[in-house]
Amino acid sequence: MEFETLPGFREFYPEACSRRNHIFNLWRKTARAFNFLEYDAPVLEPLELYIEKSGEEIVGQLFNFEDRGGRAVALRPEMTPSLARLIGAKANSLKRPVKWFNIGEHYRYERPQKGRLRAFYQFNVDIFGESGVGADAELVALLVQALQSFGLNEADFKVRLSDRDLWWLMLAAEGLDEAGSAAVLAVIDKLERMEREKAVEKLAENLGDDAEAFLQRIETVTQIRDFEGLKQFILDLPLEGDLLDRAQARLSDWSELLALLESAGAGAYVQIDLGIVRGLAYYTGFVFEAFEATGEGRALAGGGRYDALVKKLGGPEMPAVGFAMGDVTLADLLDSKGLTAGYAQRPDFIAIIGGPEERRAAMADASVLRSMGYQVEYPLKNQGFGKQFKEANQKGARFALVYGEAELASGQVKVRDMASGEERDLPREHIASMAADILASGLS
Ligand code: HAM
């Protein structure tokens, strides 16, 4: 073919489209179960919206260009900055907490590889206007339920839970200032994918000779998996005064969050893992990522608190927490577990037409049934009965409506149950009113 798709962009033939829509349907169903409202925002945004707000990593992956009006623009790599702007602009009139979701395509110029494309869909779910851990718990519970709705269970995926507030406290205890802490967190974010030597080198930029010992302390922290261990570790830090008070308050937030998640039935899925710090620039408190339970593969979803972003974009103070789940890694996981939904579109009725004379009667009935919402296949050209029945089988039609010369002469149509082969002649004028019964209970 002369014109190929761009690398990392997908075409969706009907079968792939139906698999994609199955994912969208379950995302939407879960969001509605938690009473979130759906919103949308532009696909093309001012480039500036992402500079600084999203952080270096995403800015390096932007699809950006100058439009014909000389504006610097970018295809959206994520939804969060647009959403924060929407919320900021209407903050005073929105009833809090604001609970919104979106399903939409996003674009990042990454190297296409397993689990990573250049155009992918995300399910974004966010809460604004609530700073308590109730909102964090609601979102982690929603994330777990969304993945469960596909038939996945605790043997298939885990949510790794971490906390940038605790990291700030730990780094303050190490004597790092804000800029130093931010630089060190960026290294911690990449630790799993970085050579150890390289990590020490990077850390030395802020920690000098202490980098090696520091990395060892970090490795201890990131191996903690239970709350008791975490609590002990934090309370053993050389914290005093305000820092100690903050650490104690934070541990009590942790304890409340974990208790809520346990009650929501999400306890078995949640794993404490301070190795997660999130690459995006705007996160402030609890952060989390969902992964395949084996730990292999790229993240299924990621998110956390970002209490400062709405204000940074010109809005008022507005606490916020949310996450996004991608369709690419999710579809891969569903495939590997045999949970991919089959291609299941089949007509309720198919018209089988004797000849040109019968075509109009069939069209009239099909049109009434279609306007009632039934799925009706109507042949576009004349063919023999045998060929038409063969096609009816191939299309998986449930009932055939046979328009032959004899039936029509007496105002009837022959209805055939394609599964059992059973047939009945029915008055054409009753087909519309009988359609629901026929589909529910067959012809007997
Ligand atoms: P993120 O971690 O950059 O977070 O992306 C969330 C999810 O989107 C990832 O876990 C992954 O499933 C999917 N994803 C990201 N990039 C790609 C890609 N190139 N190809 C395929 N899938 C991808 C955010 O985007 C935040 N804005 C989430 C958020 C919402 N935080 C608060 N609210």
Side-chain angles (χ1 to χ4, degrees), residues 49-67:
L49 183 63
Y50 305 108
I51 306 284
E52 286 180 33
K53 304 303 180 272
S54 295
E56 241 172 77
E57 192 170 326
I58 279 201
V59 169
Q61 299 170 340
L62 284 173
F63 274 92
N64 61 305
F65 56 96
E66 194 172 290
D67 76 4

Side-chain angles (χ1 to χ4, degrees), residues 278-417:
R278 304 281 296 143
L280 296 163
Y282 45 69
Y283 291 109
T284 52
F286 286 110
V287 285
F288 49 90
E289 283 184 357
F291 282 89
E292 202 174 326
T294 54
E296 283 160 30
R298 310 291 300 251
L300 298 163
R305 273 233 164 245
Y306 51 103
D307 285 345
L309 187 61
V310 175
K311 192 163 183 193
K312 258 197 198 157
L313 288 168
E317 272 310 326
M318 179 71 96
V321 50
F323 73 84
M325 186 185 306
D327 72 316
V328 181
T329 39
L330 174 60
D332 285 349
L333 177 59
L334 295 178
D335 273 349
S336 75
K337 302 284 173 186
L339 291 169
T340 301
Y343 180 47
Q345 184 162 321
R346 46 191 292 221
D348 298 321
F349 297 102
I350 186 165
I352 307 270
I353 299 171
E357 286 300 308
E358 291 78 27
R359 204 159 245 294
R360 280 179 225 135
M363 175 53 99
D365 293 355
S367 147
V368 171
L369 290 169
R370 284 169 167 173
S371 67
M372 292 173 78
Y374 298 109
Q375 264 171 270
V376 183
E377 178 75 15
Y378 176 84
L380 301 182
K381 62 174 196 219
N382 298 325
Q383 282 185 312
F385 274 126
K387 210 159 184 186
Q388 291 187 62
F389 274 111
K390 196 169 156 206
E391 269 186 26
N393 273 320
Q394 282 167 350
K395 292 203 153 82
R398 298 181 57 201
F399 291 89
L401 303 176
V402 188
Y403 294 84
E405 210 178 323
E407 289 88 1
L408 273 198
S410 57
Q412 310 238 336
V413 58
K414 189 183 292 304
V415 185
R416 180 187 172 95
D417 183 330

